[in-house]
Amino acid sequence: VQLQASGGGLVQAGGSLRLSCAVSGQTFRSYGMGWFRQAPGKEREFVAAITGGSSTNYADSVKGRFTISRDNAKNTVYLQMNSLKPEDTAVYYCASRSWSGSYSSLTGYSYWGQGTQVTVSS
């Protein structure tokens, strides 16, 4: 299974970015997906998750600003990020759900992408 994240970059506060994660090597529609992020010196934290049936969950810090979605025809999951803040600066990782563990926990995911850098300037 391979996950390829893209779409990161440098944006001013209040701006928007859309991250993409292309997945290969598994029956994409059967698996939940998630986004996590890791800022310098901090632990990797949950951002958003989506089930195979497209139910979603979000961290409180991004609720109302970020939207996770999926396109099963393209084997791709997206993270639309609006109203970005400097504290959103981090490396963002996509991950594929395992069959156990919580959607908000690192242990709830079996496969990880390589990460894409998001930098929000003030």
Side-chain angles (χ1 to χ4, degrees), residues 37-60:
R37 66 186 181 187
Q38 187 166 17
K42 295 188 177 182
E43 295 185 350
R44 193 171 299 188
E45 65 176 5
F46 169 74
V47 174
I50 187 167
T51 67
S54 295
S55 296
T56 59
N57 286 281
Y58 298 93
D60 288 343

Side-chain angles (χ1 to χ4, degrees), residues 38 55 74 80 98-99 103-104 106:
Q38 187 166 17
S55 296
K74 295 182 178 180
Q80 177 67 45
S98 65
W99 293 109
Y103 66 82
S104 62
L106 298 177

Side-chain angles (χ1 to χ4, degrees), residues 87-114:
E87 51 263 43
D88 294 318
T89 295
V91 177
Y92 283 71
Y93 298 89
C94 59
S96 175
R97 286 278 278 133
S98 65
W99 293 109
S100 62
S102 168
Y103 66 82
S104 62
S105 171
L106 298 177
T107 59
Y109 295 82
S110 299
Y111 300 100
W112 293 82
Q114 85 287 3

